[in-house]
Amino acid sequence: MFVQKDRKLGVADGKRQYDLPLNRDEGSGFLILLIALMTFLAVLALSASFVLRTMGDRWSSGLENKLTIEVPAESANETHDGIVISNENVKSLTQEIAEKIRHHPAVKSADILSDSEIQDLISPWLGEDVSLIDVPMPGLISVQLQVTTPETLHALEKAARDISPTARLDTHETWLNDLLRFTGAMQFAALIITLIIGATTFTAVAGAIRSRMAVHKDEVELLHLMGAKDDYITSQFQRHALTLTLQGCVVGVLGAGIVMVLIGLISGDTGGALIPDFRLGIVHMIALFLLPVAACGISALTARHTVLRVLAGMP
Amino acid sequence: MFVQKDRKLGVADGKRQYDLPLNRDEGSGFLILLIALMTFLAVLALSASFVLRTMGDRWSSGLENKLTIEVPAESANETHDGIVISNENVKSLTQEIAEKIRHHPAVKSADILSDSEIQDLISPWLGEDVSLIDVPMPGLISVQLQVTTPETLHALEKAARDISPTARLDTHETWLNDLLRFTGAMQFAALIITLIIGATTFTAVAGAIRSRMAVHKDEVELLHLMGAKDDYITSQFQRHALTLTLQGCVVGVLGAGIVMVLIGLISGDTGGALIPDFRLGIVHMIALFLLPVAACGISALTARHTVLRVLAGMP
Amino acid sequence: MIKFENVGLRYGIGPEVLSDISFALEPGSFHFLTGPSGAGKTSLMNLIYLGRRPTRGLVTMFGQSINDLDRRKLTPIRQRIGVVFQDFRLMNHLSTFDNVALPLRILGRPETEIQNNVNELLEWVGLGGKTNVLPPTMSGGEQQRIAIARAVIARPRLLLADEPTGNLDDDIGFRLMNLFDQLNRMGTTIVIATHNQAVIDKLGHPRMVLEGGRLNIESTAQKNWIQKKIQGVF
Amino acid sequence: MIKFENVGLRYGIGPEVLSDISFALEPGSFHFLTGPSGAGKTSLMNLIYLGRRPTRGLVTMFGQSINDLDRRKLTPIRQRIGVVFQDFRLMNHLSTFDNVALPLRILGRPETEIQNNVNELLEWVGLGGKTNVLPPTMSGGEQQRIAIARAVIARPRLLLADEPTGNLDDDIGFRLMNLFDQLNRMGTTIVIATHNQAVIDKLGHPRMVLEGGRLNIESTAQKNWIQKKIQGVF
Ligand SMILES: Nc1ncnc2c1ncn2[C@@H]1O[C@H](COP(=O)(O)OP(=O)(O)OP(=O)(O)O)[C@@H](O)[C@H]1O
Ligand SMILES: Nc1ncnc2c1ncn2[C@@H]1O[C@H](COP(=O)(O)OP(=O)(O)OP(=O)(O)O)[C@@H](O)[C@H]1O
Ligand SMILES: [Mg+2]
Ligand SMILES: [Mg+2]
C-alpha cells in the first residue's frame, strides 16, 4: 500500500531505524487502513454534528420571530364543554395580555388583530358570508419577537395563562420543533459514533502494539538480555505506531475531505436559508484538525506505555 | 473478551478443532471488535439511508398537493422595466391558463381567485385601506393536484408560460425542495459509507487471514509436508474466519439495535407526520439481516480462497 | 525405492548447492549422510522428503517419478515418510502428546489407537512424565526427542533424520540410534545426517559423503578397518 | 567474579530444577558444564546471564549482589556478558552482518568500528561470503557460527555458550573452541555447556557436572589421567 522504505541495516549512514521487523509485519497496511477509515468516519461524523448544530441554530433563530397568542372564546374553567365567553370579555382579556406582554424585553411588538383581520384569517374555514357578530370570536395577538428562544416562549405562555388560563401560543412552526428534535437526535448519534470510533481506534492501536509485542517477544527479550536500555526498545515501537497512525490519518482526512466536497456539490447549491452550506467555522476546522494530531499523540503514548509495561515484566 | 473454549488436543472426545493456534492469536479479539464496529456502522448507515428515503417520499407526497400560478400585472416582454398590463388583460390571460390547465390529468381543480380573495392575501403588505382599483392586480390560480411530481410541475409551468411568458409557479414549498435535496445527499453519503465499510471488512478479513497464514506459515508448511490434505488445512482457517465474523456481527447488530432504539426514544415521540418514526419495513429488516449473513459467507470464502492460493504455492 | 539421477539444486539465483547427485536407496537400507557444515545435507534431505522440487534431474520415489506428478498425488507419498528436522519444527502450542500424535491424526487413525501408541513411545524415549508439557518449556534434548518420536510414530517406510542427536548425551543418543536400528530391521529405509563420528563408527552403516555439492557413497568394508581399530582400544 | 550461594530454581509450581547450587567462578577461568539431557544446564546458564531470577539463594555478579538490584542497574552487567544460545536466537529479518553487529550497536559504537570488526570476525568463522544473507536461508552450522560470532564480537568479560558445536563438524568445532581459548587467554571468563566428550577431553578444562539438580565441580587433575590415555592412542 505504501512504499516501504529500505530499513536494511548494515549501511553505515546512521539511518538505522528498527532492529525489530515492525515495519514488515503483515498487519501494518491493515492497521493503516483501519485508522484511515476511523479518521474518515470520525471527521464525517464530527462535521455532520457541527453542521447539524449550525442548521438547528439557524432554523430556530433565522426564521421570522413571529407568533400568535390566541385567547379562545370558550373558557374551559368550569365545565367539560366550556362556557362561551362574551366577545367583550374576550376583547378585554386580550387587551390585558397584550399590555402585559409588550413590556417583556424580548418582545418587539404585540398587536391585537382587528375584527376584519380575524375574519380574513377565519373565512377560509367558515366561508365569506358568515357575519362576525353571529359567532363567538377569539382574541388574537400578533407578537413580533427579537429572538425566539424556548425560555421566551415559556415566559410568554405563562404570562398569557395568568390572565386567561385557556390562552394558547401558536408559533406556526410545530413542524420546526419536530425537525429540531430530529436534528438533535442525529447530532447525538453523530457524537456517540465519534466517541465509539475514538475508543475503537485507541483499542486497535493498543491491541496492535500488544500483538506486535507478542509476535516479537523473543526478539524484544533478546535485545533486553543483550543489555539494550528500555528506551532503545520502546522508541522503536513508538516510532512505528506514530508512523502508522500518521499515514492512516492523512488518508482518512483526505478521504473525508473529498466526500465532504462531493456532498457539498450535490446539496450545496440549494441556496435556501433553511439548509446551510456544508461550510464550517474556523473553530470547527481547528477541532477537525486536532483530531488526527490527538490520534497520533495518543497512539505514540499508548505504544510507549504498552511496551514499557511488558518490559517491566522482564527480569 | 470472549470465553475461549478449551481447544486442547489429546482428549479423545473427537472435539478436536485446530492443529493451528489460530484461536490464540492476539489479533482475534481485535478483528472481532473491528467486524462488530463495521457491522454496527453498516447497519446504522443502511437504516439511516432507508429512513431518509421513507422520509423523503413522505415529504414529497404527503403534503397537500397545492400550488398557485401567478400571472403578474407586468409584462417583461418588451422593455427592461416592464409594461403594466391592464387588469382586464390579466384577467383574460388568467382565465385562459386556468382553462388550459384544468385538462391536465394530474390536476384536480384550478380555481381563479376572486378580487376579494386576492385582497385578503395582499392586504398584509399593502395595508387595508388601499383600494384594489388603484393598483395593478396580478391574476392568481389556486391549483389542486393529484400528486406533486417534478414532471407535472414542469408541464404546468410550461403551459402557463406559453400563454403568459411571465407566469410563475409558486409551490409554497421551495424549502421542501431544499430539504429533499439535503435528504438525497445524506442518503447518498449513507450508501457510500455502507459500501466503504463493506469493502473495508472484506479487506480486513482477507488481510487478517493472510497475516495469520504468514504467522503460521511454518506450521502450515509442516502439516503439508506431513501429508495433510489441502482441505485439512483450509477448513481450519475457514472455520476460524467464520467464527470471528459471526461473533463480530452479533455484537455489531446488537449494538446497532440498541442505538436505534435509543434514537427512536429520543426522536420517536415527535408524532408529526413530517418526521417518520425510525420504524423500518419488512423488506428493510430482511436487508439488514442479510448483511451479517453475507458478511459470514464472504469471509469464509475469502479465507478458503486465500489459504488455497498459499497452499498452491507449496511444492 | 528412491532413485536420484543427475539431480541438481540451486536456491534462487545462487550457485548450485547440489550438482549431479545420483544414487539409489534399496528398501530396508540404512545410510549415514555426512559432510562439512554447509555441504548441503539438509538440502538433500529436503529434496527426498519433497520439501522442494529439484532444479534439474530425475527423482523417483516408491516407484513413481515425481517430476511431473500432480501436487495432490504427492500427499500419499509424503504420508509414508517420517522426518526429524535439524531445527525440530515442533508445534509450540501443542503438548508433547499432541505433537507426537499429529501424523496419526493426519492419517485419520482412531483416537484409542493414538492414545496407546503415543504414550508407549513417549515412555520409551524418556518423556513419559511430560506428555502434557508444551515444547517451549522443555530442554533442547527433550525437544529433540519429541521430534524423533513424531517422525517414527506412524511407522514410515522411509525415515530421514537430520542431526538427530546433536543435543543429546551419548547414553540417550545411542538409545535412539538403537530405535532407528530396530525400525530398520522391521523394513524402514533410513537416512541419517550427522556429524557425530562416534555414532557413525559404532553402527558402521555405509556413509554418503557430500562435499562440494557432489555425493560419494563409501562402502561399509572401507570403514570396517577403522572401526575395528577403535574397538580394540577400549 | 561470579558467585552462587545455595541457589535454587523452579519453574512455576513444578519441582526444583536446580537446588543448592553453590560455586564461584574466578576471572579468567574456563569451565565445561555437562550433565544428561534435562539436567538443568540451560537453566543454570539462564540464571548466570540474568535471563531469570533464582527462586532462592544469593547471586553475585562482578562484585554486585543482584538479588535486590534495581532492574535498570542490571543493564550494564548484561552488556558485559556474551551468550551463545542453544537454539541460536538469531534475528531472522537481519542479515548475518547485522546480527553480529547488534551487540556493538546496542553499546552505541561508531559504525566504522563496527564495519571492520564484524567483517573480520565473519571471515574468521568462515562466513565471509555470507554477510548479506538472512539466517533462515543458511545451514544449521552456519547459523550456529553466527550465534557464536555475535556472542564474542563485543569482547565480553563473561562468555556463556550452550552446546555451541552441536551442529558443527569436528574441524570447525575445534576451530571455534580455539577461538574461545584465545578469548580466555585475553581474560574472558568462559562457561561452555556441551555433550561433546571429544571437545571436553581435548581441551581438558575443569567440568561442572549437573545431575539431579545438584552441581559437582571435577578438578582438572581428575580428568588428566583419562585424557593422557586417549591422547596416547592416536
Ligand atoms: N532456503 C535457502 N535459501 C538459500 N540458500 C540456502 C537455503 N537453505 C540452505 N541454503 C544454502 O545452501 C547451502 C547448504 O545448506 P544445507 O543446510 O543443506 O547445509 P548442511 O549440509 O545441512 O549444513 P549443516 O551441517 O551446517 O546443517 C548453505 O550454503 C546454505 O547457506
Ligand atoms: N521455561 C520452562 N518452564 C518449565 N520448565 C522448564 C523450562 N525450561 C526448562 N524446563 C525444564 O527444566 C528442566 C531442565 O531443563 P534445561 O533446559 O535446563 O536442561 P538442559 O540441561 O539444558 O538439557 P539439554 O541438554 O537437553 O539441553 C527440564 O526438565 C525442562 O523440562
Ligand atoms: Mg543441515
Ligand atoms: Mg539445554
Side-chain angles (χ1 to χ4, degrees):
Chain A
M1 189 167 176
F2 292 92
V3 182
Q4 292 236 330
K5 266 186 246 131
D6 182 31
R7 310 266 196 202
K8 226 185 126 309
L9 308 195
V11 268
D13 57 358
K15 275 202 193 160
R16 212 157 58 83
Q17 298 276 322
Y18 299 114
D19 289 335
L20 301 166
L22 298 175
N23 51 331
R24 301 192 196 168
D25 280 340
E26 277 274 341
S28 292
F30 172 42
L31 193 65
I32 292 176
L33 193 68
L34 174 78
I35 292 176
L37 188 85
M38 295 292 102
T39 318
F40 172 81
L41 291 175
V43 169
L44 279 194
L46 214 57
S47 311
S49 141
F50 290 155
V51 166
L52 284 170
R53 147 148 285 166
T54 315
M55 222 150 102
D57 286 355
R58 236 193 264 189
W59 280 350
S60 49
S61 74
L63 289 182
E64 20 177 1
N65 296 305
K66 268 188 182 160
L67 62 87
T68 310
I69 297 175
E70 185 186 355
V71 183
E74 294 182 350
S75 131
N77 267 2
E78 251 76 292
T79 69
H80 257 292
D81 291 335
I83 298 163
V84 173
I85 307 172
S86 75
N87 275 356
E88 283 73 38
N89 238 336
V90 169
K91 281 224 169 82
S92 77
L93 280 174
T94 310
Q95 194 79 40
E96 211 174 316
I97 291 173
E99 286 303 330
K100 185 166 173 194
I101 273 174
R102 249 177 222 131
H103 301 301
H104 192 281
V107 173
K108 223 190 228 163
S109 65
D111 302 311
I112 299 171
L113 268 66
S114 69
D115 282 356
S116 70
E117 281 171 326
I118 292 175
Q119 189 173 23
D120 289 348
L121 285 168
I122 291 178
S123 55
W125 287 276
L126 296 184
E128 201 75 25
D129 308 328
V130 181
S131 165
L132 279 188
I133 307 123
D134 298 346
V135 294
M137 285 280 288
L140 292 178
I141 308 168
S142 168
V143 181
Q144 178 79 44
L145 297 175
Q146 313 276 7
V147 270
T148 312
T149 64
E151 293 79 43
T152 316
L153 295 182
H154 277 292
L156 292 186
E157 189 163 42
K158 199 180 165 296
R161 293 249 164 112
D162 281 351
I163 293 163
S164 163
T166 52
R168 246 197 353 243
L169 248 66
D170 181 3
T171 52
H172 311 299
E173 289 160 11
T174 47
W175 63 267
L176 186 61
N177 277 332
D178 287 355
L179 255 187
L180 283 179
R181 215 163 196 164
F182 174 69
T183 329
M186 294 298 282
Q187 205 175 323
F188 174 75
L191 276 176
I192 289 279
I193 288 177
T194 312
L195 281 183
I196 290 178
I197 285 170
T200 313
T201 312
F202 181 78
T203 320
V205 171
I209 293 292
R210 224 179 301 126
S211 125
R212 271 177 184 46
M213 254 326 248
V215 170
H216 301 298
K217 182 147 198 293
D218 288 350
E219 278 133 334
V220 168
E221 201 177 7
L222 180 69
L223 287 179
H224 177 69
L225 288 180
M226 282 177 161
K229 294 214 179 71
D230 285 359
D231 257 3
Y232 185 93
I233 297 165
T234 315
S235 62
Q236 301 194 18
F237 281 93
Q238 207 174 329
R239 210 177 314 129
H240 176 63
L242 197 64
T243 314
L244 290 189
T245 314
L246 204 63
Q247 291 180 335
C249 280
V250 167
V251 175
V253 168
L254 279 183
I258 291 172
V259 167
M260 277 160 71
V261 167
L262 269 181
I263 291 182
L265 284 183
I266 291 173
S267 75
D269 53 336
T270 52
L274 204 68
I275 314 291
D277 314 321
F278 274 89
R279 245 171 259 136
L280 297 167
I282 192 86
V283 182
H284 294 161
M285 281 299 194
I286 290 173
L288 283 180
F289 270 99
L290 279 181
L291 202 86
V293 173
C296 288
I298 287 175
S299 68
L301 284 180
T302 308
R304 182 180 183 76
H305 183 74
T306 310
V307 176
L308 275 182
R309 225 178 36 197
V310 175
L311 284 178
M314 291 183 183
Chain B
M1 189 167 176
F2 291 93
V3 182
Q4 292 236 330
K5 266 185 247 136
D6 182 31
R7 311 267 196 202
K8 227 186 125 311
L9 307 194
V11 269
D13 58 357
K15 275 200 192 161
R16 213 157 58 84
Q17 298 276 323
Y18 298 117
D19 289 335
L20 302 167
L22 298 175
N23 52 332
R24 300 189 197 171
D25 280 340
E26 277 274 341
S28 292
F30 170 43
L31 193 65
I32 292 176
L33 192 69
L34 174 79
I35 292 176
L37 187 86
M38 294 292 101
T39 319
F40 171 82
L41 291 174
V43 169
L44 280 193
L46 215 56
S47 311
S49 141
F50 290 154
V51 166
L52 283 171
R53 147 147 284 166
T54 315
M55 223 151 101
D57 286 355
R58 236 192 265 188
W59 281 350
S60 49
S61 75
L63 289 182
E64 19 176 3
N65 297 305
K66 267 188 182 160
L67 62 87
T68 310
I69 296 174
E70 186 187 353
V71 184
E74 293 183 351
S75 130
N77 266 2
E78 251 73 295
T79 69
H80 256 292
D81 291 336
I83 296 162
V84 173
I85 305 172
S86 75
N87 275 356
E88 282 72 40
N89 239 335
V90 169
K91 282 225 168 82
S92 77
L93 281 175
T94 310
Q95 195 78 39
E96 213 176 316
I97 293 173
E99 285 304 328
K100 186 168 175 195
I101 274 175
R102 249 177 220 129
H103 302 301
H104 192 280
V107 173
K108 223 189 232 163
S109 66
D111 302 310
I112 299 172
L113 268 66
S114 69
D115 280 357
S116 70
E117 280 171 325
I118 293 176
Q119 191 173 24
D120 289 349
L121 284 169
I122 291 178
S123 54
W125 286 274
L126 297 184
E128 200 76 25
D129 307 328
V130 181
S131 164
L132 279 189
I133 306 120
D134 298 344
V135 293
M137 285 281 287
L140 292 177
I141 308 166
S142 167
V143 182
Q144 178 79 43
L145 296 176
Q146 312 276 6
V147 270
T148 312
T149 64
E151 292 81 44
T152 316
L153 295 182
H154 276 292
L156 293 186
E157 189 163 40
K158 197 180 167 296
R161 291 250 165 112
D162 281 351
I163 293 162
S164 163
T166 53
R168 248 197 348 244
L169 250 65
D170 181 3
T171 52
H172 311 299
E173 289 159 14
T174 46
W175 62 267
L176 186 62
N177 276 331
D178 286 356
L179 255 187
L180 284 178
R181 216 163 195 165
F182 175 68
T183 329
M186 295 298 281
Q187 204 177 321
F188 175 75
L191 277 176
I192 288 278
I193 287 176
T194 312
L195 280 183
I196 289 178
I197 285 169
T200 314
T201 313
F202 181 79
T203 320
V205 171
I209 292 293
R210 226 179 301 127
S211 127
R212 270 176 183 48
M213 257 321 253
V215 170
H216 301 298
K217 181 144 201 290
D218 289 350
E219 279 133 333
V220 168
E221 200 178 7
L222 180 68
L223 286 178
H224 177 68
L225 288 180
M226 281 178 160
K229 294 213 178 71
D230 285 357
D231 257 2
Y232 186 94
I233 297 165
T234 315
S235 63
Q236 300 193 19
F237 281 94
Q238 207 174 330
R239 211 177 313 130
H240 176 63
L242 197 63
T243 314
L244 291 189
T245 314
L246 204 63
Q247 291 180 337
C249 280
V250 167
V251 175
V253 168
L254 281 183
I258 292 172
V259 167
M260 277 160 72
V261 167
L262 269 182
I263 291 182
L265 285 183
I266 292 173
S267 75
D269 54 335
T270 52
L274 203 69
I275 313 291
D277 314 322
F278 273 89
R279 243 172 261 137
L280 296 168
I282 193 85
V283 182
H284 294 161
M285 282 297 195
I286 290 173
L288 284 180
F289 271 101
L290 278 182
L291 202 85
V293 172
C296 288
I298 287 174
S299 66
L301 283 180
T302 308
R304 184 180 182 75
H305 184 73
T306 311
V307 176
L308 275 182
R309 226 179 33 196
V310 175
L311 284 177
M314 290 183 183
Chain C
M1 177 148 135
I2 285 137
K3 209 160 104 194
F4 274 51
E5 289 167 86
N6 297 311
V7 168
L9 173 72
R10 65 173 81 236
Y11 292 103
I13 53 159
E16 266 202 334
V17 171
L18 300 173
S19 8
D20 287 324
I21 304 286
S22 300
F23 66 92
L25 298 180
E26 297 307 315
S29 64
F30 193 136
H31 287 85
F32 285 116
L33 178 61
T34 60
S37 171
K41 299 181 293 298
T42 305
S43 303
L44 180 56
M45 294 232 159
N46 221 315
L47 292 180
I48 303 178
Y49 65 71
L50 304 180
R52 247 171 214 287
R53 302 257 187 153
T55 328
R56 62 188 175 88
L58 292 174
V59 174
T60 313
M61 306 273 301
F62 303 108
Q64 281 180 292
S65 163
I66 64 117
N67 284 64
D68 25 44
L69 213 57
D70 180 66
R71 267 190 84 248
R72 284 154 199 281
K73 295 265 173 62
L74 295 178
T75 304
I77 296 181
R78 289 199 171 100
Q79 291 177 348
R80 277 181 261 173
I81 306 176
V83 187
V84 182
F85 297 95
Q86 191 170 11
D87 49 359
F88 314 158
R89 299 209 200 168
L90 303 177
M91 294 253 190
N92 284 337
H93 63 288
L94 295 184
S95 68
T96 302
F97 182 95
D98 288 319
N99 264 292
V100 175
L102 207 51
L104 298 179
R105 293 214 162 106
I106 286 174
L107 291 173
R109 297 285 170 79
E111 200 65 29
T112 46
E113 183 194 326
I114 293 178
Q115 205 78 12
N116 293 336
N117 286 0
V118 172
N119 280 328
E120 191 187 335
L121 183 59
L122 282 178
E123 205 64 57
W124 206 91
V125 299
L127 293 175
K130 302 226 167 202
T131 46
N132 284 316
V133 177
L134 296 180
T137 68
M138 300 179 79
S139 84
E142 287 163 350
Q143 291 182 29
Q144 195 157 41
R145 280 177 274 165
I146 302 177
I148 293 171
R150 187 181 62 185
V152 302
I153 188 74
R155 294 184 193 279
R157 290 187 48 198
L158 170 64
L159 178 74
L160 305 172
D162 200 348
E163 205 75 64
T165 55
N167 287 285
L168 296 174
D169 50 286
D170 292 353
D171 274 7
I172 189 91
F174 280 120
R175 192 187 163 107
L176 286 167
M177 281 298 167
N178 275 332
L179 172 66
F180 293 149
D181 236 10
Q182 219 169 298
L183 273 174
N184 180 236
R185 253 174 260 127
M186 285 159 63
T188 300
T189 311
I190 294 182
V191 178
I192 294 180
T194 185
H195 292 296
N196 194 330
Q197 202 56 45
V199 165
I200 298 176
D201 291 343
K202 183 154 184 185
L203 291 177
H205 295 295
R207 301 198 311 165
M208 301 161 73
V209 182
L210 266 176
E211 186 103 55
R214 310 251 155 197
L215 185 74
N216 287 314
I217 304 196
E218 293 178 5
S219 75
T220 325
Q222 241 179 312
K223 290 298 300 173
N224 271 353
W225 178 82
I226 307 169
Q227 208 182 336
K228 287 244 175 65
K229 186 173 183 300
I230 290 168
Q231 279 173 344
V233 167
F234 294 95
Chain D
M1 177 148 134
I2 285 139
K3 209 161 105 194
F4 275 50
E5 289 168 84
N6 295 311
V7 169
L9 174 71
R10 67 171 79 234
Y11 292 103
I13 53 160
E16 266 202 333
V17 171
L18 300 173
S19 6
D20 287 323
I21 304 288
S22 300
F23 67 91
L25 298 180
E26 296 307 315
S29 64
F30 194 136
H31 287 86
F32 285 116
L33 178 61
T34 61
S37 171
K41 299 181 292 299
T42 304
S43 303
L44 180 57
M45 293 233 159
N46 221 314
L47 293 180
I48 304 179
Y49 65 70
L50 304 179
R52 251 171 212 284
R53 301 258 188 153
T55 328
R56 62 186 174 88
L58 292 175
V59 175
T60 313
M61 307 272 300
F62 303 107
Q64 280 179 292
S65 163
I66 65 116
N67 284 66
D68 26 45
L69 212 58
D70 180 67
R71 267 190 84 247
R72 284 154 199 281
K73 296 265 174 60
L74 295 178
T75 303
I77 296 181
R78 289 200 171 101
Q79 292 177 347
R80 277 181 262 172
I81 307 177
V83 187
V84 183
F85 298 95
Q86 191 170 11
D87 49 0
F88 313 158
R89 298 210 200 167
L90 302 177
M91 295 253 190
N92 284 338
H93 63 288
L94 294 185
S95 68
T96 302
F97 182 95
D98 288 320
N99 264 292
V100 176
L102 207 50
L104 297 179
R105 293 214 162 106
I106 286 175
L107 290 173
R109 296 284 171 79
E111 200 66 29
T112 46
E113 184 195 324
I114 293 178
Q115 204 78 12
N116 293 335
N117 285 359
V118 172
N119 281 329
E120 192 186 336
L121 183 58
L122 282 178
E123 205 63 57
W124 206 90
V125 299
L127 294 174
K130 302 227 167 200
T131 45
N132 283 317
V133 177
L134 296 179
T137 67
M138 299 178 78
S139 85
E142 286 163 349
Q143 292 181 29
Q144 196 157 40
R145 281 177 273 164
I146 302 177
I148 292 171
R150 188 181 60 184
V152 302
I153 187 74
R155 294 184 192 279
R157 290 187 49 197
L158 171 63
L159 178 74
L160 305 172
D162 200 348
E163 206 76 65
T165 55
N167 286 285
L168 296 174
D169 50 287
D170 292 352
D171 274 4
I172 188 90
F174 280 119
R175 190 187 163 105
L176 288 167
M177 280 299 165
N178 276 332
L179 172 66
F180 293 150
D181 236 12
Q182 220 169 298
L183 273 174
N184 179 238
R185 254 174 259 128
M186 285 159 62
T188 300
T189 311
I190 292 183
V191 179
I192 293 180
T194 185
H195 293 295
N196 193 332
Q197 202 57 45
V199 165
I200 298 176
D201 291 344
K202 183 153 184 188
L203 291 177
H205 295 295
R207 300 200 311 164
M208 300 162 72
V209 182
L210 265 176
E211 186 103 54
R214 310 252 157 198
L215 185 74
N216 286 315
I217 304 197
E218 292 177 7
S219 75
T220 325
Q222 241 180 312
K223 291 297 300 172
N224 271 352
W225 179 81
I226 308 170
Q227 207 183 336
K228 289 245 175 64
K229 187 174 183 297
I230 290 169
Q231 280 173 343
V233 166
F234 296 95

